[in-house]
Amino acid sequence: MAKLRLGVIGAGSWTLGSHLPNLAKYRDEVEFVIVNRRNPDLLGKIKDDWGFAKASTDWHDVIAERPDIVVVGSPPGYHHDQSKAALEAGADVMCEK
């Protein structure tokens, strides 16, 4: 069975403290494909710490990877556009707040 491909838009405190630790429990079922955060220094650390294959400061790159699951953990003002784009790309979306 193929793993579900995970993309993360906005790897902030809730994503790092809750979403990723919980998803990591299912590593045999979930592949950590791409993570997004605006700060490139923190982004590189998150990529390495969690074993993402790719990282980008542009959230559109997450959508372009066509993940099966997208966690939207960005600031609330971005939620609509990012969640809509992920849904239109065929992903299941977990949006904070």
Side-chain angles (χ1 to χ4, degrees):
M1 179 179 191
K3 290 184 177 185
L4 293 172
R5 301 176 74 246
L6 171 67
V8 173
I9 298 173
S13 61
W14 274 104
T15 298
L16 298 175
S18 181
H19 307 315
L20 293 181
N22 283 302
L23 287 163
K25 295 174 186 176
Y26 302 95
R27 284 283 190 165
D28 8 337
E29 299 172 42
V30 178
E31 177 185 358
F32 283 41
V33 175
I34 187 167
V35 61
N36 155 259
R37 184 170 174 136
R38 290 183 288 185
N39 180 311
D41 296 327
L42 291 174
L43 179 61
K45 181 172 176 14
I46 293 165
K47 177 185 179 282
D48 295 341
D49 287 354
W50 291 98
F52 281 92
K54 297 180 181 182
S56 176
T57 57
D58 184 346
W59 69 267
H60 295 93
D61 292 338
V62 174
I63 304 302
E65 284 295 317
R66 309 293 285 189
D68 301 303
I69 306 164
V70 173
V71 171
V72 177
S74 58
Y78 299 101
H79 288 180
H80 178 265
D81 290 342
Q82 294 167 343
S83 296
K84 183 177 183 221
L87 289 165
E88 287 175 345
D92 288 323
V93 175
M94 196 294 295
C95 183
E96 290 184 359
K97 307 200 180 39

